[in-house]
Amino acid sequence: MAKNTQKEYRNQVMYSVFVRNHSEEGTFEAVRRDLERIKALGVDIIWLMPIHPIGVTARKGAAGSPYAISDYRAVNPEYGTVQDFQCLVDEVHRLGMKCIIDVVYNHTSPDSWLVKNHPEWFYHKADGSLGNHVGDWTDIVDLDYSNPGLWNYQIETLKYWASMVDGFRCDVASLVPLEFWLQARAEVETVRPGCIWLAESVEPEFIRLARSQGITALSDSEIFQAFDISYEYDLYPDYQDYLDGKASLSRYAQAVNRQEAIYPDNYVKLRYLENHDRLRAAAAIPGEAALLNWTAFLYFQKGMTLLYGGQEVSCVHLPNLFEKDPVDWSSGPDRSGLLRRLYELKQNPLLTDSAYCVQALRGDILHGAHRSGERQLTGIFSLKGNCGLVAVEAPDGIYPNLAEGGSVEVKFGRVSCQGRPIIFETPSL
């Protein structure tokens, strides 16, 4: 883990914005006008997916992937001007939030400024042509970090943007050398002290496959040396297998608990039910009760919470990365009130620093606890809406239900779960 990473990141919520598809306009200005609503959900950090111009050569779809960047030092003219971007960032700051932008440093579009001016900085196939290591990424070509000049250019670019924004979400960070990220972090700190570094790490199977082919592929343990926050793709396969009925809830619970043992004490995972590369939660999680419980568990988890624009209105459709495909803000039901309540929960100091453990119970109920000193935060999440009695380590009594309001009663060391999420704070036994 980066030694100066703040545990307080675990009390924060990040909101991901795909500028093109966030509105019919698809502009910085349209996002700026929506910021007060986003802030009211309980959001600390705005993450803007790539804001740069998109390549034309080998473009996928009519609009192209924002991850096929043609110029790292410019903004996509379809979104607006640099001045429009600065106005958006200024408004984010005025509202008391921070802004991070996407950094896509593994590759560029085949017609990028760097390809035209520094073709020697790219990976070349045996025949001398440019190429990439991941076959289905046909709209990009890979950079080659054995070139010191590339390091200097990329870090200077980061320092340029760090004069405006508060941090970076680094795309497939695992495929870029760790030494580069360590140097970048140190140098950017001179421009933006406390810069936020979020890594899109990769799944274990991806790491194994890449390494078998001689490709750099950093584990989460390596990533955490340079980054503050990392994706939770290390356990995402267990989550997905449970939803698909291929694995038990116990296996998922074991994967969550394993993180407490294998990462440094100040590790911060980015917790999410959806992102721009995965199915919408409302599509992947069947049933209202299940979605409600998973959403409450999302905020209960140790780590930073991620929301993807449209999640608050239960969008089922995942916006296309390659086309103009605006979010349907009337898709409903609107969960904004629930998210605001859960944001209040997220501020609980027990979520900042605790001994954290979850266990799977019969009936697809997940029981979790954060313990610190004499206090304990208990969570009960019925992931298929089932009812049942749950044994808890808490004194008998009546406590506020921090998940939905109302109260929860502990009687003879048990709580009656009626299929809806329960979160309450008690003295430890």
Side-chain angles (χ1 to χ4, degrees), residues 222-411:
E222 293 170 298
I223 282 287
F224 272 140
Q225 296 178 50
F227 287 84
D228 299 301
I229 311 151
S230 172
Y231 269 43
E232 58 173 351
Y233 279 155
D234 54 326
L235 60 70
Y236 194 87
D238 301 291
Y239 164 77
Q240 190 62 59
D241 283 350
Y242 169 70
L243 291 183
D244 292 342
K246 297 178 182 177
S248 67
L249 184 59
S250 292
R251 196 178 86 180
Y252 172 72
Q254 289 166 6
V256 173
N257 292 335
R258 191 178 306 121
Q259 292 179 333
E260 283 284 279
I262 63 176
Y263 298 132
D265 180 60
N266 64 335
Y267 82 99
V268 182
K269 278 289 181 178
L270 187 70
R271 307 294 188 178
Y272 45 82
L273 299 180
E274 61 181 69
N275 61 52
H276 68 268
D277 284 325
R278 293 294 184 267
L279 285 174
R280 290 284 198 181
I285 300 173
E288 173 64 21
L291 184 56
L292 176 63
N293 278 275
W294 273 111
T295 301
F297 179 63
L298 172 67
Y299 280 74
F300 181 84
Q301 280 259 64
K302 178 184 279 189
M304 181 181 288
T305 298
L306 174 69
L307 301 174
Y308 181 36
Q311 185 173 348
E312 65 268 44
V313 291
S314 312
C315 283
V316 172
H317 174 66
L318 183 68
N320 194 311
L321 269 183
F322 312 109
E323 307 287 350
K324 177 65 177 173
D325 187 16
V327 171
D328 178 4
W329 293 102
S330 63
S331 58
D334 188 342
R335 301 184 191 278
S336 300
L338 171 66
L339 300 184
R340 282 192 287 270
R341 172 179 287 278
L342 291 173
Y343 182 74
E344 294 177 11
L345 163 73
K346 196 69 178 167
Q347 308 314 299
N348 192 310
L350 281 166
L351 296 179
T352 314
D353 194 9
S354 68
Y356 177 52
C357 181
V358 298
Q359 59 178 319
L361 307 178
R362 288 182 299 177
D364 292 276
I365 294 174
L366 198 61
H367 172 261
H370 293 268
R371 296 181 178 89
S372 181
E374 298 180 352
R375 305 301 299 175
Q376 175 174 297
L377 193 67
T378 300
I380 299 169
F381 309 95
S382 182
L383 301 181
K384 292 189 177 177
N386 296 323
C387 300
L389 278 176
V390 177
V392 295
E393 295 182 8
D396 283 6
I398 297 176
Y399 305 94
N401 183 358
L402 304 176
E404 286 197 295
S407 61
V408 54
E409 183 177 15
V410 179
K411 192 70 173 178

Side-chain angles (χ1 to χ4, degrees), residues 9-230:
Y9 283 139
R10 296 169 176 166
N11 300 103
Q12 296 188 2
V13 174
M14 180 179 292
Y15 186 96
S16 174
V17 175
F18 186 0
V19 176
R20 175 202 295 160
N21 287 333
H22 191 77
S23 66
E24 291 288 342
E25 293 176 39
T27 63
F28 294 132
E29 172 59 19
V31 175
R32 189 193 68 80
R33 294 196 302 265
D34 196 31
L35 286 175
E36 290 196 7
R37 180 194 66 83
I38 295 172
K39 168 70 174 178
L41 295 173
V43 171
D44 302 284
I45 302 170
I46 301 291
W47 154 27
L48 300 174
M49 288 168 57
I51 61 170
H52 308 296
I54 297 169
V56 175
T57 300
R59 174 177 286 191
K60 289 184 177 181
S65 168
Y67 292 91
I69 291 170
S70 65
D71 188 348
Y72 289 127
R73 298 187 178 181
V75 299
N76 188 336
E78 296 177 4
Y79 294 174
T81 65
V82 173
Q83 291 73 28
D84 294 328
F85 172 71
Q86 185 66 69
C87 286
L88 168 58
V89 176
D90 288 346
E91 183 68 0
V92 170
H93 290 159
R94 186 188 73 81
L95 292 170
M97 297 183 289
K98 293 186 176 182
C99 180
I100 69 172
I101 60 171
D102 234 307
V103 170
V104 187
Y105 269 13
N106 177 67
H107 50 259
T108 75
S109 69
D111 55 354
S112 69
W113 187 93
L114 282 182
V115 167
K116 294 171 184 175
N117 290 273
H118 290 284
E120 73 277 12
W121 290 352
F122 285 81
Y123 161 71
H124 290 75
K125 295 186 290 188
D127 63 5
S129 64
L130 301 183
N132 65 76
H133 294 95
V134 182
D136 60 346
W137 297 354
T138 57
D139 56 345
I140 55 93
V141 289
D142 284 356
L143 289 157
D144 179 358
Y145 279 83
S146 67
N147 297 282
L150 173 61
W151 286 44
N152 295 333
Y153 182 88
Q154 299 291 62
I155 291 173
E156 286 304 311
T157 302
L158 287 169
K159 290 164 75 173
Y160 166 72
W161 290 111
S163 68
M164 293 178 252
V165 302
D166 304 288
F168 304 103
R169 178 267 186 190
C170 300
D171 188 65
V172 285
S174 301
L175 301 187
V176 176
L178 175 61
E179 293 75 14
F180 170 80
W181 292 126
L182 289 168
Q183 182 176 331
R185 182 182 181 111
E187 293 199 30
V188 168
E189 191 72 11
T190 66
V191 176
R192 176 71 62 172
C195 182
I196 302 166
W197 292 88
L198 164 63
E200 183 199 23
S201 49
V202 295
E203 295 92 334
E205 187 57 40
F206 192 111
I207 294 173
R208 286 191 289 268
L209 178 61
R211 288 178 175 177
S212 72
Q213 299 173 354
I215 303 168
T216 294
L218 304 176
S219 67
D220 282 74
S221 296
E222 293 170 298
I223 282 287
F224 272 140
Q225 296 178 50
F227 287 84
D228 299 301
I229 311 151
S230 172

